Amino acid sequence: MKYRNETVRKIAGMEELVWINPKEMNYSEYEKNLPVSDEELKDAEERLARFAPFIKKVFPETAETNGIIESPLEPIFSMQKELEKIYETEIPGKLYLKMDSHLPVAGSVKARGGVYEVLKHAEELAMEAGMLSVTDDYSILADEKFKKFFSGYKVQVGSTGNLGLSIGITSAALGFEVIVHMSADAKQWKKDMLRSKGVTVIEYADDYGKAVEEGRKSSDADPKSYFVDDEKSMNLFLGYTVAASRMKKQFDEKGIVIDKEHPLLVYIPCGVGGAPGGVAYGIKRIFKENAYVFFVEPTLAPCMVLGMATELHENICVRDLGIYGLTHADGLAVGRASGLVSKIMDPVLSGIFTLEDYKLYDYLRILNSSENKRIEPSSCAAFEGPVTLMKYETSRKYVEEKIGKNIENAYHICWATGGRMVPQEDMEKFLNTYLK
């Protein structure tokens, strides 16, 4: 089969690539017609603040942050030097790791959107029943009467793993009956952990798309069931956007100023797109034209770059090109991008990198040996961004045109999307996995 578009030809050949987004808009233009209002972003922040007393009560690991679910932002300068040396590249500026891998509650970026959507649903149900008002101390939601009330309702979700964990853990803590529909690539330890919390896990021999489809069907048939739709949920999206304002506070604490002279480049692993899309949108709203966001996908499941490069969004699947999405990056093993998110990203995203699976484990070993930090292999996709940014001619030209010499003062943030809950035994296996 011949492909007229060079990017699609490379995607079909499962080649590593960088795609620079031709639809990215000048931020001052983009701001005139925002798809998500600042009121909606503020509403999401305020809701999470209301729930903080409940979160603090039921998830003791959030006591230090008073029930706010947040992750560290760490410099990884030793790794930066190692990456430059091993890959014979230059990473101008400073490299940091945003450790959503270590978020409380669910140990992944999904603790942002997943927790938020479940809490919003619980709040709506309790308010409709006259059991809760916004002026209450939300720690009362941990009381037995609320658990009994929520036990009459179901929450369902389709997931490759991490979203299922965040939805399952949060819903179970509130008392909901929870059903997680898991695709074939979901890790066993994630299924085991959910079952240990009393969650029903239904396994499919098929991919992520099938798990979502079956979950949606099952939920639609039950009037007391609520489906968390990773492909189409604006609530999930809003939960993720809050990450940006939180990171701004961390920059302030570290004395980091983001401006034209000190640009921000962010690299986020991407599956269906909900989490990276929400985070990217939040970042652009706060740092505006001084922020450049890139997604990173495996060559074996490059659904977002395929959807955006062809402008077909959710109407094309990697299987249409003979790619079956069988990747070691289990959290990114998605064949079809979220149409909701890919369209919101059209004017916002700088570009997308893809990488081969073997690098996930190589990057993990380098992070472990240079910084003594461990994250899921899927999360390690983020490192491909800074490693190859100045290597590909197209991304180097993009940097020269958009950022120029200020790239020397850049802050590069690799977004670690999961890892804290990986059992020790599994992590040791990851560290000893060599695909090349």
Side-chain angles (χ1 to χ4, degrees):
M1 191 172 180
K2 285 188 177 169
Y3 298 100
R4 273 181 259 168
N5 181 314
E6 178 67 6
T7 302
V8 178
R9 188 192 64 72
K10 284 184 174 172
I11 292 169
M14 291 173 275
E15 292 176 41
E16 291 185 329
L17 60 85
V18 64
W19 171 76
I20 296 299
N21 179 14
K23 286 186 161 182
E24 186 185 11
M25 277 172 84
N26 185 305
Y27 192 78
S28 54
E29 276 304 301
Y30 176 69
E31 209 168 23
K32 290 174 187 171
N33 192 15
L34 293 170
V36 184
S37 71
D38 285 358
E39 286 70 35
E40 287 173 283
L41 302 189
K42 191 164 173 274
D43 181 48
E45 281 211 55
E46 287 170 356
R47 182 167 288 105
L48 288 169
R50 286 200 295 278
F51 269 98
F54 166 77
I55 292 167
K56 184 180 174 181
K57 194 168 183 179
V58 296
F59 300 111
E61 66 268 36
T62 64
E64 267 179 55
T65 54
N66 277 319
I68 295 296
I69 298 169
E70 202 35 75
S71 72
L73 176 68
E74 301 281 349
I76 46 169
F77 302 152
S78 300
M79 183 173 190
Q80 184 174 354
K81 287 194 189 102
E82 279 298 294
L83 291 172
E84 288 182 318
K85 191 168 77 184
I86 294 166
Y87 295 97
E88 297 176 347
T89 190
E90 183 199 357
I91 304 172
K94 292 176 175 169
L95 189 64
Y96 282 77
L97 190 66
K98 179 60 176 145
M99 295 183 68
D100 274 8
S101 48
H102 288 64
L103 276 170
V105 182
S108 82
V109 67
K110 306 294 188 180
R112 296 185 185 281
V115 171
Y116 176 76
E117 176 145 4
V118 172
L119 296 180
K120 184 170 189 274
H121 178 55
E123 183 183 57
E124 284 167 357
L125 286 176
M127 282 181 174
E128 275 169 28
M131 296 171 75
L132 185 71
S133 81
V134 283
T135 53
D136 287 338
D137 173 346
Y138 275 33
S139 64
I140 60 171
L141 286 157
D143 296 353
E144 202 50 48
K145 74 165 185 173
F146 281 97
K147 283 198 165 176
K148 195 175 175 203
F149 170 68
F150 291 129
S151 71
Y153 294 89
K154 267 184 207 164
V155 174
Q156 301 196 51
V157 65
S159 173
T160 59
N162 283 345
L163 182 65
L165 275 183
S166 80
I167 299 293
I169 290 168
T170 315
S171 302
L174 281 154
F176 285 107
E177 184 186 336
V178 202
I179 302 172
V180 178
H181 301 261
M182 288 271 200
S183 54
D185 32 62
K187 293 273 185 275
Q188 189 59 45
W189 69 265
K190 293 180 183 178
K191 298 172 196 170
D192 295 343
M193 183 176 284
L194 282 168
R195 288 182 175 126
S196 76
K197 308 270 183 196
V199 173
T200 300
V201 176
I202 300 175
E203 300 179 50
Y204 297 89
D206 218 318
D207 69 355
Y208 165 85
K210 183 71 172 169
V212 173
E213 185 192 325
E214 291 300 323
R216 194 184 287 125
K217 209 185 288 177
S218 164
S219 190
D220 287 351
D222 182 347
K224 285 206 156 186
S225 177
Y226 179 83
F227 185 65
V228 178
D229 195 331
D230 201 8
E231 295 174 331
K232 301 182 174 111
S233 170
M234 188 46 87
N235 287 324
L236 277 181
F237 187 85
L238 286 166
Y240 297 124
T241 61
V242 175
S245 58
R246 302 268 184 83
M247 190 167 71
K248 168 76 166 70
K249 283 181 193 139
Q250 291 178 318
F251 282 160
D252 294 345
E253 284 159 16
K254 292 178 187 290
I256 293 173
V257 175
I258 301 299
D259 55 21
K260 193 180 178 195
E261 285 71 42
H262 304 85
L264 174 66
L265 289 88
V266 182
Y267 312 91
I268 315 174
C270 180
V272 75
V279 171
Y281 182 80
I283 285 169
K284 288 300 279 189
R285 281 303 291 130
I286 285 177
F287 301 104
K288 306 185 191 294
E289 66 280 354
N290 302 314
Y292 304 85
V293 184
F294 295 89
F295 291 167
V296 191
E297 298 185 288
T299 55
L300 298 174
C303 68
M304 187 61 75
V305 68
L306 179 63
M308 290 184 74
T310 58
E311 300 184 20
L312 291 169
H313 301 285
E314 76 276 32
N315 296 315
I316 190 167
C317 175
V318 300
R319 288 192 171 202
D320 299 336
L321 272 61
I323 303 170
Y324 290 92
L326 300 171
T327 168
H328 282 246
D330 55 309
L332 314 179
V334 178
R336 191 185 301 275
S338 159
L340 169 79
V341 175
S342 63
K343 286 163 195 159
I344 292 176
M345 288 299 101
D346 259 348
V348 170
L349 199 66
S350 293
I352 300 176
F353 295 89
T354 66
L355 83 163
E356 288 186 41
D357 276 12
Y358 77 91
K359 287 185 179 171
L360 302 169
Y361 298 105
D362 291 355
Y363 287 146
L364 175 60
R365 281 185 281 274
I366 299 166
L367 178 66
N368 183 51
S369 62
S370 63
E371 301 286 350
N372 195 28
K373 292 181 183 358
R374 297 173 169 200
I375 61 179
E376 276 187 285
S378 293
S379 297
C380 294
F383 298 119
E384 181 73 359
V387 164
T388 59
L389 180 74
M390 303 307 279
K391 278 189 148 187
Y392 285 112
E393 191 187 346
T394 39
S395 49
R396 193 174 66 246
K397 272 188 181 165
Y398 176 85
V399 168
E400 283 164 9
E401 286 168 19
K402 294 266 189 175
I403 303 172
K405 290 207 167 91
N406 293 327
I407 192 68
E408 299 298 332
N409 313 315
Y411 290 93
H412 300 266
I413 311 284
C414 289
W415 213 278
T417 47
R420 182 173 74 97
M421 290 185 161
V422 175
Q424 184 66 28
E425 186 188 332
D426 290 67
M427 188 57 81
E428 290 305 326
K429 276 185 200 154
F430 294 154
L431 287 165
N432 290 293
T433 299
Y434 294 83
L435 300 182
K436 202 166 181 178

